[in-house]
Amino acid sequence: MSASLPKPGTPLPASALPVDPPGGRRAIAVWSVGVSVYFVAVIFRTSLGVAGLDAAERYDIGSSALSTFSILQLLVYAGMQIPVGLLVDRFGTKRVLSMGAVLFTAGQLGFAFAPSFGTALASRALLGCGDAMTFISVLRLGTRWFPPRKGAVIAQLAGLLGQAGNLVSTLVLSQLLHGLGWTKAFAGSAAAGVVVLVLVQLFLKDHPEGQAPAPARHPGGAYVRRQIAESWREPGTRLGLWTHFTTQFPAMMFLLLWGMPFLVEAQGLSRGTASWLLTLVVGASLLFGLVFGQVIGRNPAFRLRLALGTVGGVLVVWTATLAWPADHAPMWLLVTLCAMLGACGPASLIGLDFSRPVNPPERQGTASGIVNMGGFVASMLTLLLVGVLLDATGDNYRAAFSVVYVLAAVGLSQILRLRKKALLREREQARTAMAAVVTSSSAAVPGPRHGDQAADGPVTTAR
């Protein structure tokens, strides 16, 4: 008997996997609770993006010190990714999401009342720690409640819905900030963290009934080292990290801190127009997320093309904006730049599609944590370098924003180096898994009994 081999990234048929999660309305309801936590975390994470100029005035700080807020927040976030992945693999989604909600709510509340630059920094670090516990937990929740064939679409939807929190920051929080003032705006928004924490406690379940994972032994440090080493050993995990690294940081840097100052101070726009352009980045991200999820779900071979195409498109428009001969780029070019930056978030999630097929379920949290580090490390470095260069060049945004090319070059070189090895390994694992399914399916079907008509070949049930 012969069986066609799946393309790289193509999940095994659901019929061949009897323990596949069922999906359905119950799965959507539980998963939505997890996504709501991520949604609120993104609101809190990006709230500084619309309050950067206010923070500089409130704490009397320059560009380098202002960038320290986001750098520290991302440093904590990136540093927590592998520990959070290990925690999710060991303790489950509900506990980790609950802890995350408590921490990022405390951080947002502390930021509202922080009287000094130091206490405000500590609050953002606490917020970053809680934020770090959300996305990996939501990814794990999706793998526990939905069939593997829907993995790419569910991951893109999670990112899409969570990143919609940017809209709340740019449209709602910015209005509250200038209408109610710093303390009331940030303290009031912290109430959303309390709401999602209650939802998690009441309605979230780690897995469907009867599908609890088999208990595993975790012998301390040996377990941690093995999880990290085995995840890193997979070239798909490393390719995922560098894909995330290269695709995410331009939009993250723009939305998290430097987009508003660039549009207002360098491009001469009003705050209202700048807020509209930041909203465009988020809106475009939602659209790109829908398109990317559908394309990858139907043809996983397009993953690398989408990632590389996004990087190339962003760099072309970025260059046109910075090299524009006049002092201010025209509005049509700024609109194009913001629309193109919207593809960065969905493209970064492609990195998870490289790590998912080559890591077993018990390593998914750890592998996702490694991948998710990439973009946040790149974003942290970009935020730092832009702040330093702005101070060094007298707020020359063209010079400061040129650091994007350096990080993009590093990431692209690693993607091109790893792509063949990673895809070959993925194809080998898909071939091995398919062969195991065919063998088990054939063994499960009894041969013809005495008196039955003999078949021309072996009986199979592979579909």
Side-chain angles (χ1 to χ4, degrees):
M1 185 201 67
S2 62
S4 61
L5 298 177
K7 296 179 181 179
T10 304
L12 295 176
S15 58
L17 300 171
V19 295
D20 275 357
R25 293 182 180 179
R26 172 66 171 162
I28 293 173
V30 173
W31 176 78
S32 297
V33 172
V35 171
S36 70
V37 182
Y38 178 49
F39 176 81
V40 173
V42 172
I43 296 175
F44 293 178
R45 177 201 303 170
T46 58
S47 58
L48 187 62
V50 297
L53 297 176
D54 300 86
E57 182 179 350
R58 178 181 175 88
Y59 298 112
D60 191 24
I61 54 178
S63 296
S64 297
L66 180 60
S67 67
T68 306
F69 278 122
S70 296
I71 292 168
L72 178 61
Q73 184 178 330
L74 290 183
L75 177 63
V76 173
Y77 187 104
M80 285 292 294
Q81 289 307 290
I82 292 178
V84 167
L86 292 165
L87 287 172
V88 171
D89 285 338
R90 182 167 182 177
F91 296 112
T93 300
K94 184 171 184 175
R95 292 181 182 178
V96 178
L97 270 182
S98 298
M99 187 183 304
V102 169
L103 291 175
F104 67 60
T105 301
Q108 186 78 342
L109 194 62
F111 197 57
F113 294 98
S116 65
F117 177 62
T119 53
L121 272 179
S123 297
R124 296 306 287 186
L126 190 63
L127 192 156
C129 185
D131 182 17
M133 298 182 176
T134 57
F135 187 58
I136 294 177
S137 298
V138 172
L139 290 176
R140 174 61 174 263
L141 200 64
T143 62
R144 290 297 187 188
W145 281 91
F146 293 94
R149 65 181 181 276
K150 296 185 178 180
V153 175
I154 293 299
Q156 285 288 345
L157 279 175
L160 182 155
L161 295 172
Q163 290 304 316
N166 279 313
L167 290 175
V168 177
S169 293
T170 55
L171 295 178
V172 179
L173 188 58
S174 60
Q175 296 299 319
L176 292 176
L177 185 64
H178 298 111
L180 300 177
W182 180 282
T183 300
K184 290 182 179 179
F186 280 102
S189 66
V194 178
V195 172
V196 294
L197 177 60
V198 172
L199 291 176
V200 168
Q201 296 305 309
L202 293 179
F203 301 112
L204 193 135
K205 303 290 183 183
D206 283 345
H207 48 75
E209 295 294 333
Q211 294 202 15
R217 298 179 60 190
H218 304 293
Y223 164 74
V224 172
R225 289 191 296 271
R226 184 175 66 252
Q227 286 285 91
I228 295 174
E230 291 179 355
S231 297
W232 183 255
R233 193 174 295 123
E234 293 292 347
T237 303
R238 302 196 299 276
L239 177 61
L241 180 146
W242 286 108
T243 300
H244 201 273
F245 178 101
T246 313
T247 53
Q248 188 198 54
F249 77 89
M252 181 67 71
M253 176 271 291
F254 203 79
L255 287 172
L256 205 58
L257 185 59
W258 293 121
M260 178 70 78
F262 168 73
L263 295 172
V264 173
E265 296 177 349
Q267 299 301 318
L269 301 180
S270 66
R271 284 198 179 203
T273 304
S275 294
W276 179 82
L277 287 173
L278 293 178
T279 303
L280 176 61
V281 177
V282 181
S285 179
L286 302 182
L287 179 61
F288 278 113
L290 289 173
V291 173
F292 283 13
Q294 291 297 321
V295 170
I296 296 171
R298 294 177 182 179
N299 193 341
F302 281 11
R303 292 170 300 173
L304 196 58
R305 299 177 198 175
L306 287 174
L308 295 177
T310 297
V311 176
V314 168
L315 292 180
V316 167
V317 183
W318 197 270
T319 301
T321 303
L322 296 183
W324 193 259
D327 290 338
H328 300 154
M331 180 58 70
W332 66 264
L333 184 54
L334 295 177
V335 168
T336 304
L337 172 65
C338 291
M340 195 65 225
L341 286 173
C344 291
S348 70
L349 296 178
I350 295 173
L352 297 165
D353 290 316
F354 289 126
S355 72
R356 188 183 300 111
V358 295
N359 286 282
E362 62 271 15
R363 279 209 316 264
Q364 287 295 329
T366 305
S368 297
I370 292 173
V371 171
N372 213 32
M373 282 181 60
F376 289 94
V377 169
S379 300
M380 177 184 64
L381 291 174
T382 310
L383 288 168
L384 172 62
L385 292 173
V386 167
V388 170
L389 288 174
L390 283 174
D391 281 344
T393 60
D395 291 337
N396 185 330
Y397 280 89
R398 290 185 178 182
F401 276 14
S402 296
V403 300
V404 168
Y405 301 106
V406 177
L407 273 75
V410 172
L412 285 172
S413 66
Q414 294 300 314
I415 291 173
L416 296 176
R417 181 179 69 86
L418 289 166
R419 72 188 192 283
K420 290 184 179 179
K421 184 176 182 180
L423 295 179
L424 177 61
R425 169 66 172 164
E426 188 175 313
R427 188 179 297 114
E428 290 173 349
Q429 288 215 1
R431 182 183 295 113
T432 301
M434 179 61 77
V437 168
V438 171
T439 301
S440 62
S441 299
S442 301
V445 179
R449 293 171 298 176
H450 180 68
D452 288 344
Q453 176 141 5
D456 291 333
V459 181
T460 71
T461 59
R463 288 174 284 179

